[in-house]
Structures are given as structure tokens and as C-alpha cells.
Amino acid sequence: MHRLIEIAPAKLNLGLKVLRRREDGYHEIVSVLQTVDLCDRLAFKSAATGETLVHCDHPDVPAGPENLVFRAVEVLRLETGDNRGVRVDLDKRIPAGAGLGGGSSNAAATLRTLDRLWGLRLGPERLSGLAAELGSDVPFFLTGGTAVVTGRGERIRPVDWEDEFWYVLVYPRFPVSTAWAYQNVRIGLTETEAYGTFLDFAEKSGRICADRLFACLENDFLPVVEAAGKGVTRILAALAAGGAVACSVSGSGSTLFGVFREARQASAAVVRVRGPGRRVYLCRYRPRRQACFNRLSTDIGKG
């Protein structure tokens, strides 16, 4: 069998509010998720019967059951009884522990591809159910685009997005554990209700005015990431000084981003935020399920 290639895009949280801790141990949230054209690439090929092989070009990414790609294959096997083997080669571009959803996107790409490759024809509802077993963000990545997400992240309301912006993503020199971030977030820390009110309207109407969104952008994890130090405040200040209409952190961190109206400003900001050990990416919106790869990325000062 020839290799089958699938693209797994990163996501940005364009704001994130933590509303409360649920009885099941998860947290109730509200956020806007949007896929961008910073992507991992996965290559699928048949392997020996019942064998799952995951190989990644990044040494810090596990290859066994800790990997969400591996777990996605096992979930499909349990659901369908299919015992075919598969080898997955993962070309990793999205940094881990960055709040960009790389592992979740890889898992969704695996579900989509094997459903097609193995002729399972599970349909959107069953695939979404399996995705939710793997993680809160995984169902969103089955289609991507722009959506208001609620619950623990599994309730997805796609919304229209017609605006053109450039995003400068800055991954500093440290990852952030999601579990650690939720242990340290102060629920209700920010007092304004503008973001939640705006998203309530967006969810009901199915559309978003980007200017209004960026005017009220909030992420409850930003104080947590800023407290971790590592130059976070300086990076945000540099993005703002470069003309960003909004700056924040994606997910629970640690990737910071600035939103720019013009490519010229965004390109200049890439230079402005360079620093030892930082990875900087210039990205744009990636619509629902439209194949693409990174428009431009810069990997600056490794180590």
C-alpha cells in the first residue's frame, strides 16, 4: 500500500474562560478555537496484522501508548474489532506543551484517516464520540475551522469567520503542563463579562465579528503563564509595540500570540520577538478541512 498523508493543524484559543470545576473532575470552559496553518504531517502505511508502530522525528515525543496517535488506533480497534496493523510516521512541527493542541490534532487526523483507509464508515457522530474519549480538544480537530466551544471543550458550535489576520506565535523556552496550569488557575480572576457575553451571542448567531472579539479577548491562564516568568511579559510587550491589535496566550500555555492586520507588520514582529531558545511562527487562519502546510515558520535559537 502507498503511504497516505494527512495534515494535522495547530489551533489557537482566541480567549478562554474557566467557569467552574465539574463533578467529573474536568473544568467548564468557554473559548473560541481556530485552526491555523502551522501543521504536523502524518504518513500512514500498512503494517503487520495487529501491529501499531508510531515513529516521530522529534526525540521527546513518545512512540508507545502515551502517544495520542497510538491511543487513537487502539480506540478504533476496540470500537470496530478491526485488527489491521498500521505504521504512522509523524513529522512534528507543532511544539509540545505549547497550548496549540498538536497531540489532539494528531489523534483526530488518525481517526479520520483510518476511518477512510480501513473503510470503516463510522460517520461524524461515532467519530466524535471516539474523539471525546481521547481528549477534550480532539472532536474540534475532526473538522477544524473556527468554533465556540463549551462544556469541557467537547461541545462545538462552528461559526463563520471571514476576516483576514496574521498571527505571530511565540513559543518561549518552556512547556506548560495542562494539569499544572489548571491546578494554578484562579477561576473568576478577571471580573469583566464582556468576553463571555460576546461568545454567548456568537454561539447563538453562528457568526463572529473579529474586531469585537479582539477588543474583549481574555484568557484566564495568562496570569499563570506570566507568573512562570521566562520573559513572557517582555514578549507580549514586544508584540503590542509592533502593532498587534490583541495579544494573549493560547490554551493553558505556553505559546503567546499577537494578532496583526497587515503582513508587513507581522513580519516585522517576527524579527522583534526573536530570542534565544524561542520558536516563532507566522501563521494565518486555516479553514475547515482545507489541506495546507505551514505558510511560513522560523525556528530561532534552538537550545
Side-chain angles (χ1 to χ4, degrees):
M1 184 198 80
H2 295 296
R3 293 196 311 167
L4 186 60
I5 305 296
E6 184 74 4
I7 297 300
K11 58 85 178 168
L12 287 181
N13 289 82
L14 301 179
L16 194 164
K17 294 293 292 180
V18 183
L19 305 180
R20 64 181 180 86
R21 184 178 177 88
R22 297 160 31 139
E23 292 183 0
D24 61 7
Y26 290 98
H27 287 77
E28 196 83 14
I29 67 163
V30 60
S31 181
V32 174
L33 296 187
Q34 184 174 95
T35 42
V36 296
D37 59 358
L38 167 63
C39 306
D40 289 343
R41 184 173 63 176
L42 297 89
F44 296 82
K45 188 175 182 179
S46 293
T49 301
E51 189 174 28
T52 301
L53 300 172
V54 179
H55 177 266
C56 182
D57 61 351
H58 195 292
D60 294 337
V61 175
E66 306 87 6
N67 189 297
L68 276 173
V69 170
F70 190 100
R71 288 169 55 193
V73 176
E74 297 308 305
V75 162
L76 272 177
R77 285 209 181 104
L78 287 173
E79 175 73 10
T80 65
D82 198 300
N83 198 37
R84 277 174 283 188
V86 64
R87 175 188 170 103
V88 186
D89 291 297
L90 174 57
D91 180 7
K92 190 71 178 160
R93 303 288 184 90
I94 305 169
L100 298 174
S104 295
S105 188
N106 295 161
T110 300
L111 293 177
R112 284 196 310 267
T113 303
L114 294 185
D115 181 60
R116 183 169 72 252
L117 182 62
W118 291 351
L120 301 175
R121 299 180 181 178
L122 296 180
E125 188 172 337
R126 288 179 72 186
L127 281 176
S128 293
L130 296 178
E133 291 181 27
L134 293 166
S136 297
D137 286 343
V138 182
F140 165 74
F141 281 111
L142 289 174
T143 55
T146 306
V148 177
V149 298
T150 54
R152 62 181 176 92
E154 85 287 3
R155 295 203 297 268
I156 303 162
R157 172 66 158 103
V159 292
D160 293 334
W161 182 277
E162 299 179 356
D163 299 275
E164 293 289 336
F165 290 93
W166 293 84
Y167 301 115
V168 175
L169 280 56
V170 185
Y171 177 65
R173 290 174 289 178
F174 64 99
V176 168
S177 159
T178 301
W180 175 85
Y182 271 96
Q183 289 170 2
N184 287 275
V185 70
R186 292 176 59 189
I187 298 174
L189 176 64
T190 52
E191 297 181 358
T192 175
E193 297 180 358
Y195 181 74
T197 301
F198 173 79
L199 291 198
D200 183 60
F201 172 79
E203 186 178 11
K204 291 175 181 176
S205 66
R207 57 188 176 87
I208 276 184
C209 171
D211 287 329
R212 287 185 59 199
L213 169 64
F214 294 135
C216 65
L217 201 67
E218 292 182 26
N219 188 323
D220 285 341
F221 289 101
L222 184 55
V224 178
V225 177
E226 284 185 303
K230 311 291 185 180
V232 168
T233 302
R234 290 194 299 274
I235 293 170
L236 292 170
L239 290 169
V245 299
C247 303
S248 191
V249 63
S250 183
S252 56
S254 59
T255 297
L256 309 165
F257 67 89
V259 183
F260 295 84
R261 296 186 185 279
E262 298 180 6
R264 176 184 55 82
Q265 282 185 316
S267 296
V270 168
V271 177
R272 181 186 290 267
V273 296
R274 287 176 176 174
R278 296 176 189 166
R279 277 176 271 175
V280 184
Y281 306 91
L282 180 59
C283 299
R284 298 188 80 179
Y285 172 46
R286 179 185 188 271
R288 290 166 60 89
R289 294 301 312 281
Q290 179 177 312
C292 71
F293 208 65
N294 300 19
R295 181 178 301 274
L296 169 68
S297 68
T298 58
D299 196 346
I300 302 165
K302 291 183 179 180

